[in-house]
Amino acid sequence: MARTQSPSRSALAAEVADFAGMAAAVLGELQEAEAAARIQEEAGRMAAGAATVVVVGEKKRGKSSLINALLGWPGLLPVDADVATNVYLTVEHAEADVARAFDEDAPQGREIAFTQIAEFAAVDPETQRPRREGVFRVEIGLPRPLLASGLALIDTPGVGGLTAGHTAITLAALSRADALVFVVNGASELTASELAFLKRATERIPTVLFVLAQIDKYPHWRQTLERNEELLRTHAPRYGQAPWFAVSSRFANDAVGAEDAGQHELAGKLRERSGIASLAAHLRDRVAAEVETVRLRQTVRTAHVAVSARGTREQRALGALRCDPGVEEAIKRQREAVRELQDSSARWRQTVAKRFQNLDQEIQRDFNGRIQDLRDAAEQQISAVRTGKDEALQDIVRDIQDSLEGFWMDLETKTRRGTAAIVVALANEFHTQQVDVLEDQVPFPERLKGLRLTPSGRDSGSLGSQMERLLPAIGVGATLSTLSIYIVGAPLGPLGFTVAAGAGYLLGGRRKALEELRRAQADVHRYLVRSLERATTEMLPDLRKVMAQQHEAVVEETSARLQRRRTELEAELAACTRSFQEEQSDLARQRQAAQQRIDRLAAVHRHGASLLKQLDAAPGTPARGSGPAQADRTDP
């Protein structure tokens, strides 16, 4: 689903949009088409971007119910007591209600009815298997005020217990998100797996808030909340001061029903008791506002730098028109510096190549470590399977698949961010705008999606398998009957023979079951080996190809900019030479025109500087280097 542009979220956003349009128009008139296009592109990202909030928690903690309550739609996401979310569901702003599912048959997405969301996104309550296999994610668009304020909510599968694959994908998703909402309930304190997840999430996301859900079910929820805060201070101190919100999705949903029934006073009381309004206000006024401020600042800074660069060139041109003796010499020095930078052995080329090489080595080390960790964990899980082997081994297969996808998301994000860091460093060294780098996410390798488990051996329920167990059992009965002649002097009767044969059948069955378990374990182990081998041959080459393309693009674009700069300097030198030859009346007209351009650029520049100051003081501006602010605790 293409993300729709949300309505303007603040007066400052409208002012920034106007400023970006003004700067792009001025630069366009001055033949700065590239700079004008860059500003317009940044302004488009600013307007369409939403703060991505990932909702995380173990199974049955009330994540889906919480999102439904925030949106005021009780039945939007599947929330039955015996139903769990199986895929990632994204809910974001749209002009009209729409839902799309992405699966192996429709990787680009297909529109589905809202009544089909559970079919595509949930597990079967009896088998605990996905109701529909091969679904990647479901996206939902709604014209809801909370979403229009600049938020996109992502509901995730459970991350606790043995769902290592889901955990890997969720952790990777956090690297691309703006905030984490961690959901627990009032039943008991944080579990060891929840605390372990939070420790791993620490380095991935700066903004975290906690929700204590289902407080209507647990009268002792306040004691649970206090214990959870204590556990965080001890085991995850990064989140010791993070805000907590105690909520009841049931009260919020009942409020919707009361409102629909015309019981407005009751609806108001239920909404207040639910605590949902305080959580929604924090997401809107703090999380969304902070992300918006960052994007507004980036838009203003992009335009500000472009206007400043053009203003500097206009100042030099005016100096040349005034026949300033030092201008010509300064231009010549800059031209010589550009010539040196254009040399194929220039230091900046070597520096960029070294930085990409270091990024490649970092990705390689990270990949090798993750693959080895997955191998060790999967082999341990395979060896530990004893009962319910079919379900347990299938769970391991799914964990391997999800873990590899999580690895890819993490490494792909690290590749894009590493490339962006190289570009930023180069721009700072050259005191110029950044070169465009890869922004679209690189898709998960197709050959890894198609890898399937291929079982070997016979079906334990087949006639051949049953005969394999029955024939040895008959042999056991016959052997015991023969031995009885020597021991008691008479053969076993029909009943004794049957009992002996039954015992042999059971012993044979146990042996056969162990053989089948070992065969199934071997199948999953082969799947593991094939998956890791294919990941090695698919993932790293794809990422290296991306890095090589980016390296080439950075070098080519930087070289092109150097050539353009050299051309500009040659033109400035030519103008300087002409200024000594032209009539003073012509020079006066040119100086006047140059000064008008400078004045116009200076006015735009001052406007940009003023906006940057306003953004630094705007509500929701992130406090760099500090943890999330403590919100007022909701106490229904």
Side-chain angles (χ1 to χ4, degrees):
M1 176 169 50
R3 179 168 292 178
T4 61
Q5 182 170 329
S6 300
S8 177
R9 296 184 291 271
S10 69
L12 194 54
E15 189 174 355
V16 168
D18 289 343
F19 167 72
M22 179 196 311
V26 169
L27 291 172
E29 292 173 11
L30 297 177
Q31 309 304 312
E32 295 278 358
E34 180 185 353
R38 187 187 302 275
I39 294 169
Q40 291 169 339
E41 182 180 350
E42 197 65 51
R45 280 197 292 266
M46 171 199 74
T52 302
V53 178
V54 178
V55 183
V56 176
E58 289 194 348
K59 292 181 179 179
K60 310 302 182 186
R61 292 297 194 264
K63 302 185 298 295
S64 300
S65 297
L66 175 67
I67 293 177
N68 290 348
L70 282 168
L71 299 173
W73 190 328
L76 178 63
L77 305 184
V79 296
D80 293 342
D82 53 358
V83 170
T85 301
N86 179 63
V87 300
Y88 287 75
L89 297 108
T90 300
V91 189
E92 57 190 5
H93 179 264
E95 296 300 329
D97 295 348
V98 62
R100 296 183 67 81
F102 298 76
D103 57 20
E104 293 175 349
D105 295 331
Q108 302 304 316
R110 74 176 79 172
E111 189 165 339
I112 62 174
F114 275 47
T115 54
Q116 294 178 288
I117 291 174
E119 175 188 344
F120 281 85
V123 298
D124 185 276
E126 294 183 3
T127 65
Q128 289 300 299
R129 290 287 176 267
R131 288 176 170 171
R132 186 182 283 256
E133 295 284 354
V135 180
F136 309 141
R137 70 183 186 278
V138 174
E139 294 183 353
I140 301 168
L142 301 172
R144 285 291 197 269
L146 182 64
L147 301 175
S149 70
L151 285 169
L153 305 176
I154 300 179
D155 189 15
T156 64
V159 299
L162 297 178
T163 53
H166 282 164
T167 300
I169 295 179
T170 301
L171 286 168
L174 290 181
S175 299
R176 303 174 178 181
D178 298 299
L180 164 66
V181 173
F182 198 85
V183 181
V184 297
N185 61 30
S188 60
E189 62 191 38
L190 287 161
T191 64
S193 60
E194 288 173 325
L195 290 170
F197 175 86
L198 287 169
K199 286 181 180 179
R200 296 176 65 187
T202 299
E203 62 187 26
R204 298 168 183 265
I205 189 137
T207 302
V208 176
L209 52 148
F210 293 87
V211 170
L212 189 73
Q214 302 174 349
I215 59 173
D216 53 283
K217 295 182 180 180
Y218 308 105
H220 61 284
W221 66 265
R222 290 178 179 81
Q223 290 84 352
T224 302
L225 175 56
E226 291 174 359
R227 177 58 180 157
N228 283 337
E229 290 177 323
E230 181 182 344
L231 285 169
L232 285 178
R233 286 192 292 269
T234 302
H235 299 285
R238 162 70 174 78
Y239 304 125
Q241 298 301 316
W244 278 84
F245 296 88
V247 305
S248 167
S249 299
R250 183 171 71 85
F251 289 157
N253 293 337
D254 289 347
V256 173
E259 193 71 50
D260 291 342
Q263 299 174 304
H264 305 300
E265 183 177 353
L266 175 60
K269 291 179 179 179
L270 287 169
R271 272 194 296 269
E272 184 178 356
R273 292 184 66 192
S274 74
I276 291 294
S278 294
L279 173 59
H282 185 87
L283 290 171
R284 180 186 63 245
D285 300 336
R286 296 295 300 276
V287 175
E290 179 176 315
V291 172
E292 179 190 42
T293 299
V294 169
R295 289 173 177 156
L296 292 177
R297 185 185 291 110
Q298 179 61 30
T299 299
V300 174
R301 183 175 289 114
T302 298
H304 199 241
V305 169
V307 169
S308 177
R310 180 57 194 247
T312 299
R313 292 198 296 275
E314 291 289 351
Q315 287 285 2
R316 286 199 302 268
L318 180 60
L321 291 170
R322 289 173 176 167
C323 304
D324 188 337
V327 169
E328 184 177 13
E329 188 60 33
I331 295 174
K332 288 180 178 179
R333 286 197 300 269
Q334 289 190 37
R335 183 181 62 178
E336 185 59 32
V338 170
R339 282 177 179 171
E340 292 178 2
L341 289 171
Q342 286 183 298
D343 192 283
S344 59
S345 61
R347 184 176 177 183
W348 71 268
R349 294 176 183 268
Q350 301 172 24
T351 300
V352 169
K354 182 63 175 177
R355 287 170 179 167
F356 272 101
Q357 182 182 358
N358 291 341
L359 177 60
D360 177 75
Q361 292 172 351
E362 182 181 350
I363 296 295
Q364 172 80 56
R365 285 193 300 270
D366 196 351
F367 176 82
N368 290 341
R370 290 168 182 269
I371 290 296
Q372 188 59 51
D373 289 345
L374 175 57
R375 184 192 304 274
D376 293 343
E379 287 179 345
Q380 184 177 3
Q381 289 181 2
I382 292 170
S383 300
V385 172
R386 291 292 180 269
T387 59
K389 65 177 178 62
D390 292 337
E391 292 185 3
L393 292 173
Q394 285 295 333
D395 285 342
I396 294 174
V397 169
R398 273 189 287 271
D399 260 359
I400 293 170
Q401 295 169 343
D402 289 346
S403 294
L404 287 175
E405 187 170 348
F407 294 172
W408 172 262
M409 291 171 63
D410 253 350
L411 294 173
E412 190 265 353
T413 299
K414 181 176 287 189
T415 299
R416 287 190 293 110
R417 288 184 175 177
T419 299
I422 293 171
V423 169
V424 169
L426 185 64
N428 290 338
E429 290 162 8
F430 276 5
H431 304 288
T432 186
Q433 290 181 334
Q434 299 175 19
V435 177
D436 289 332
V437 295
L438 181 71
E439 292 180 353
D440 294 333
Q441 295 173 5
V442 183
F444 187 64
E446 286 293 333
R447 290 189 67 219
L448 281 172
K449 291 181 181 178
L451 200 59
R452 295 288 184 270
L453 178 66
T454 53
S456 62
R458 292 182 178 175
D459 180 3
S460 61
S462 67
L463 177 60
S465 178
Q466 296 295 335
M467 289 302 295
E468 285 181 12
R469 294 170 57 187
L470 182 58
L471 290 175
I474 294 172
V476 170
T479 300
L480 291 176
S481 180
T482 301
L483 288 174
S484 69
I485 296 174
Y486 294 98
I487 296 172
V488 300
L492 292 175
L495 179 60
F497 181 85
T498 302
V499 171
Y505 184 84
L506 291 175
L507 289 173
R510 183 178 181 184
R511 177 181 60 80
K512 191 67 177 178
L514 288 174
E515 290 177 357
E516 291 170 356
L517 172 60
R518 294 191 186 98
R519 185 181 297 119
Q521 289 174 321
D523 291 340
V524 177
H525 190 270
R526 281 193 296 273
Y527 173 84
L528 170 66
V529 172
R530 291 202 320 274
S531 296
L532 299 186
E533 287 176 349
R534 188 166 292 183
T536 302
T537 58
E538 296 289 328
M539 283 189 181
L540 283 177
D542 279 7
L543 291 174
R544 283 176 169 155
K545 182 179 179 181
V546 169
M547 282 187 279
Q549 291 171 343
Q550 290 300 293
H551 183 190
E552 182 179 357
V554 168
V555 172
E556 287 183 356
E557 179 61 22
T558 302
S559 298
R561 290 188 180 191
L562 288 171
Q563 181 57 47
R564 288 197 294 272
R565 181 73 188 112
R566 183 173 175 179
T567 302
E568 290 170 357
L569 290 169
E570 295 288 359
E572 289 177 17
L573 273 176
C576 192
T577 302
R578 287 195 304 272
S579 68
F580 291 103
Q581 301 170 350
E582 293 182 359
E583 295 291 336
Q584 287 299 315
S585 58
D586 291 335
L587 288 174
R589 285 194 297 271
Q590 293 179 46
R591 285 195 293 267
Q592 183 180 9
Q595 188 61 57
Q596 289 174 348
R597 292 193 296 272
I598 290 170
D599 292 343
R600 191 177 179 190
L601 288 165
V604 177
H605 192 268
R606 286 193 299 271
H607 189 182
S610 173
L611 280 174
L612 286 174
K613 288 182 179 179
Q614 291 181 61
L615 287 166
D616 287 339
T621 299
R624 303 299 173 190
S626 63
Q630 179 70 36
D632 292 337
R633 179 181 302 169
T634 304
D635 191 11

